[in-house]
Amino acid sequence: MRDTDARKLQILGAIVEDYVSTREPVGSKSLLDRHELGVSAATVRNDMSSLEEEGLIHQPHTSAGRIPTDKGYRAFVDHVATVKPLSAPERRAIQTLLEDSGDVEELLGRTVRLMAQLTQQVAMVQYPARRQARIRHVELVKVAESLLLVVLITESGRVDQRTVPVFAGQPAEFYVDLRDQLNRVVSGREVTDLQLPLTDLCEAVPHQDRPGTTEVAEAFVALAATRAEDRIMLAGTSNIARSALDFTQDVEPLLDVLEEQLVLMRLFTEMHALPGAVEVRIGSELQDQALHQAAVVGAGYGGGSHLAILGPSRMDYVAGISTVQAIARYVSRYLE
């Protein structure tokens, strides 16, 4: 890299740092006051003009300083930003919080809240791909003459339950026996892979037991389907409201995206970061129009799942990358 390129990247880094810190356009005088650039004011002005011609910064108002563009943030992330190791107290706090988790469900809940707290952005965690929807145990409890409690426990430790009406009422012993049969055919299976074994079970029971077995199987499939759709945990959505000034467009479409799990699942599917590796997407690199003034810093963990923070493109990338990378490594270590 030429000296002039290295110097311009240094100035770009200073502009990004100051704009993230102050939310105010950055002028050449303030750069010289705040940073040890080792060059003259004329050189800084010339380099800023060059950065503007390259589309890395722009002038929002005639008399204002410059602010980074999405292209400028990308150059900063790719060439300037360096991961800062977390302090010893930060590492101990993360390790203590995560290692004290009772199961995967609690671990993910603590993880997503911790990321939102440390970064002041929206935090998202995708359920571990290998364990998010695999069934550990089924329980059936008759709670009234025509009401049955159906309980589903997955390998992640998640417990879902639903009270359903039963029209082909059977004695409690019937449901105890059916529970054992269900566990034999569905334990270890993905929640999306139940239709065939349950159909086979319904066809195998005596004719007089078929109506009672079928309605329980249908209720169980419906409960499992809701579990299959619940694959992302969120925290810190209110941080978007606190960053509203960073979005020139209405933030409502962005909040709608956060409510829409399918959009977020597609975002995670498009990410390719390996465990502990960080991937950053900025502005138009995010496919959904509502995300074009946002940025995502994500990392892989476990066996092909991801966690990430989402916020305005004017985010602290250095802190975000450091935090996301460290937490992804801790979570991967816990799951192993």
Side-chain angles (χ1 to χ4, degrees):
M1 180 181 289
R2 295 176 302 175
D3 290 343
T4 53
D5 292 335
R7 190 181 65 233
K8 284 193 295 184
L9 285 175
Q10 181 188 14
I11 291 173
L12 173 64
I15 292 171
V16 170
E17 181 181 327
D18 286 0
Y19 183 60
V20 167
S21 174
T22 67
R23 200 188 270 118
E24 296 291 335
V26 182
S28 58
K29 184 178 184 305
S30 65
L31 282 179
L32 289 165
D33 290 342
R34 293 173 181 166
H35 301 273
E36 298 281 344
L37 297 176
V39 294
S40 67
T43 298
V44 171
R45 286 194 294 271
N46 287 337
D47 284 347
M48 289 179 71
S49 296
S50 179
L51 290 169
E52 189 168 13
E53 289 174 4
E54 294 174 30
L56 300 175
I57 59 176
H58 75 99
Q59 192 173 24
H61 308 291
T62 305
S63 59
R66 270 67 168 180
I67 67 175
T69 63
D70 286 351
K71 183 179 177 182
Y73 285 124
R74 169 50 62 192
F76 173 78
V77 168
D78 289 346
H79 303 294
V80 182
T82 55
V83 177
K84 294 190 303 185
L86 299 183
S87 66
E90 286 174 325
R91 290 198 304 272
R92 281 196 300 270
I94 293 172
Q95 190 170 2
T96 300
L97 184 70
L98 299 186
E99 286 185 350
D100 194 36
S101 302
D103 56 28
V104 173
E105 187 76 17
E106 185 179 357
L107 171 72
L108 298 185
R110 292 186 178 199
T111 297
V112 75
R113 290 191 296 273
L114 181 63
M115 282 201 302
Q117 178 184 348
L118 292 177
T119 65
Q120 294 298 298
Q121 309 295 350
V122 179
M124 309 178 290
V125 175
Q126 182 183 19
Y127 278 80
R130 291 174 299 177
R131 306 171 74 174
Q132 66 185 3
R134 200 174 285 277
I135 296 170
R136 179 193 295 170
H137 184 71
V138 179
E139 193 63 54
L140 303 177
V141 180
K142 187 174 182 180
V143 295
E145 188 57 37
S146 58
L147 286 177
L148 184 71
L149 178 66
V150 181
V151 182
L152 166 65
I153 305 173
T154 64
E155 289 186 0
S156 70
R158 170 75 176 258
V159 178
D160 291 294
Q161 59 186 38
R162 177 181 295 178
T163 302
V164 297
V166 286
F167 302 102
Q170 299 284 352
E173 294 78 11
F174 171 85
Y175 296 111
V176 171
D177 181 61
L178 180 56
R179 175 203 63 193
D180 294 340
Q181 294 183 69
L182 282 171
N183 279 303
R184 278 196 294 273
V185 300
V186 303
S187 291
R189 285 184 174 268
E190 297 287 338
V191 292
T192 54
D193 185 30
L194 301 177
Q195 197 65 54
L196 182 59
L198 291 178
T199 299
D200 291 344
L201 173 62
C202 292
E203 292 177 352
V205 300
H207 183 74
Q208 67 271 18
D209 293 339
R210 200 163 295 173
T213 303
T214 300
E215 65 180 359
V216 171
E218 289 174 351
F220 183 63
V221 168
L223 179 60
T226 62
R227 181 65 189 88
E229 294 165 4
D230 185 12
R231 297 180 180 176
I232 296 177
M233 193 177 289
L234 292 177
T237 305
S238 60
N239 289 326
I240 288 292
R242 297 192 187 99
S243 302
L245 291 175
D246 293 309
F247 297 94
T248 58
Q249 301 170 357
D250 189 359
V251 298
E252 252 185 67
L254 179 54
L255 293 173
D256 289 341
V257 164
L258 295 178
E259 291 291 325
E260 178 51 70
Q261 294 270 320
L262 290 178
V263 174
L264 298 181
M265 281 303 301
R266 185 168 67 245
L267 175 63
F268 277 126
T269 301
E270 293 167 354
M271 298 183 76
H272 306 293
L274 297 172
V278 176
E279 184 173 340
V280 180
R281 298 200 175 193
I282 303 168
S284 59
E285 296 170 359
L286 297 162
Q287 298 300 315
D288 196 285
Q289 181 69 33
L291 298 175
H292 280 188
Q293 290 188 310
V296 169
V297 177
Y301 81 90
S305 297
H306 295 85
L307 50 79
I309 57 171
L310 182 151
S313 54
R314 189 200 69 88
M315 73 159 64
D316 186 342
Y317 290 98
V318 172
I321 291 170
S322 302
T323 302
V324 167
Q325 184 178 66
I327 290 179
R329 287 175 174 169
Y330 275 114
V331 174
S332 294
R333 196 176 307 156
Y334 179 97
L335 291 176
E336 289 172 1

